[in-house]
DNA sequence: CCTGAAACTACTTCAGT
DNA sequence: ACTGAAGTAGTTTCAGG
């Protein structure tokens, strides 16, 4: 799928405000509402736009604690990875799980109410993950910034 | 701000689909459209709902490469942290920047087209960040999962 | 704090260029 | 591909319980 500058402007606007009205979006990108609407539908249908979400304020919800957990597995055998990934999908509070290059690590990003809440998640869930040989948790003191917007 | 179960249902629905119509949302949470609308406005005004965004498919935009960069600074003096944070805010492709506990590290999450593109970002921007004494980059081979939804 | 109705605004489609 | 207009649907406000 090929994007022109107008498409990119649409994507930038929607990444900044997912609930902008089609009328306002059309005006922002210098298009008539119907032409703009057609382009947005095309971007949605092609999957370039994966979806729309509300972003919540973790602090106001009493979950200001972010922890990154690095995990080393015993082996990189597919069955071990599969079992680990199926298990980690069931752990609550895990926002991201990445398979990492280098030492066949996983990197998890976890959100919690406080360090005690993380300790509970750790005891209750992380220590039960299969195939793990090493685990190191790093706490974020402060999120300097964070965006969901990709550079387009 | 205190949330009841209906508020939490609203938040879960909006985290799953930020563009759901108020009418459909009202039906999903068993409320009249006007009552639902008032609750959503209250959640927005209180800041619990930080905003709405479109999420894009990084792969379809040709940026499938995620890199986590751990950075150690020479000192933890406030001026050094400030200077670092101001500088990192100007680096393109950085999606997240966290100040980490333990060894006064920063953790960056960077998105790139491929490893060469990351090498360019590294050369052009990361090596110029002030106060850095050590930097270690870890590539994600595969994102197992990723969500923006907080558990509410 | 909710409901229901009314007024307003926006979305979505389609014929025409 | 885009425009403009028409029909449909949704939002938002407000009087009343």
């Amino acid at each position: 799928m090929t994007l022109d500058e107008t498409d990119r402007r649409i994507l930038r606007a929607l990444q900044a405000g997912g609930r902008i009205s089609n009328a306002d979006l059309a005006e922002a990108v210098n298009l008539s509402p119907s032409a703009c609407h057609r382009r947005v539908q095309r971007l949605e249908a092609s999957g370039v736009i994966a979806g729309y979400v509300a972003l919540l304020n973790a602090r106001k919800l009493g979950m200001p604690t972010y922890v990154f957990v690095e995990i080393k597995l015993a082996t990189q055998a597919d069955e071990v990875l599969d079992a680990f990934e199926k298990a980690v999908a069931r752990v609550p509070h895990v926002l991201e799980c990445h398979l990492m290059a280098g030492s066949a690590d996983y990197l998890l990003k976890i959100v919690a109410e406080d360090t005690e809440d993380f300790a509970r998640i750790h005891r209750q869930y992380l220590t039960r993950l299969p195939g793990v040989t090493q685990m190191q948790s790093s706490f974020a003191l402060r999120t300097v910034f964070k965006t969901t917007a990709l550079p387009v």
Side-chain angles (χ1 to χ4, degrees), chain A:
Chain A
M1 157 129 193
T2 162
L3 304 176
D4 64 16
E5 180 54 27
T6 300
D7 289 319
R8 283 193 290 274
R9 279 209 289 264
I10 288 173
L11 293 176
R12 285 194 288 268
L14 288 174
Q15 286 192 116
R19 248 181 138 150
I20 185 175
S21 76
N22 183 61
D24 289 349
L25 178 59
E27 186 174 358
V29 304
N30 288 312
L31 235 47
S32 69
S34 54
C36 182
H37 181 248
R38 206 159 349 91
R39 278 176 184 258
V40 171
Q41 285 202 322
R42 180 166 149 272
L43 291 164
E44 289 171 353
S46 69
V48 169
I49 295 175
Y52 301 89
V53 298
L55 300 179
L56 306 189
N57 185 321
R59 182 171 301 278
K60 300 212 174 179
L61 288 165
M63 310 199 73
T65 306
Y66 287 94
V67 190
F68 291 87
V69 181
E70 287 185 290
I71 290 171
K72 284 196 209 299
L73 297 193
T75 80
Q76 307 190 27
D78 280 356
E79 314 81 50
V80 176
L81 301 187
D82 280 358
F84 177 85
E85 291 177 16
K86 284 203 169 66
V88 82
R90 283 185 239 110
V91 180
H93 296 236
V94 179
L95 300 184
E96 299 184 23
C97 174
H98 303 269
L99 177 62
M100 303 300 290
S103 35
D105 280 336
Y106 284 96
L107 178 62
L108 310 185
K109 179 181 171 186
I110 292 182
V111 65
E113 293 174 19
D114 49 35
T115 53
E116 276 198 49
D117 187 38
F118 174 73
R120 178 189 60 78
I121 294 165
H122 184 274
R123 262 199 320 278
Q124 192 168 348
Y125 294 101
L126 301 184
T127 57
R128 290 160 150 89
L129 290 170
V132 173
T133 56
Q134 226 183 96
M135 200 179 312
Q136 194 196 319
S137 304
S138 305
F139 286 74
L141 286 178
R142 178 165 52 85
T143 297
V144 180
F145 64 84
K146 177 164 51 162
T147 179
T148 60
L150 299 177
V152 287

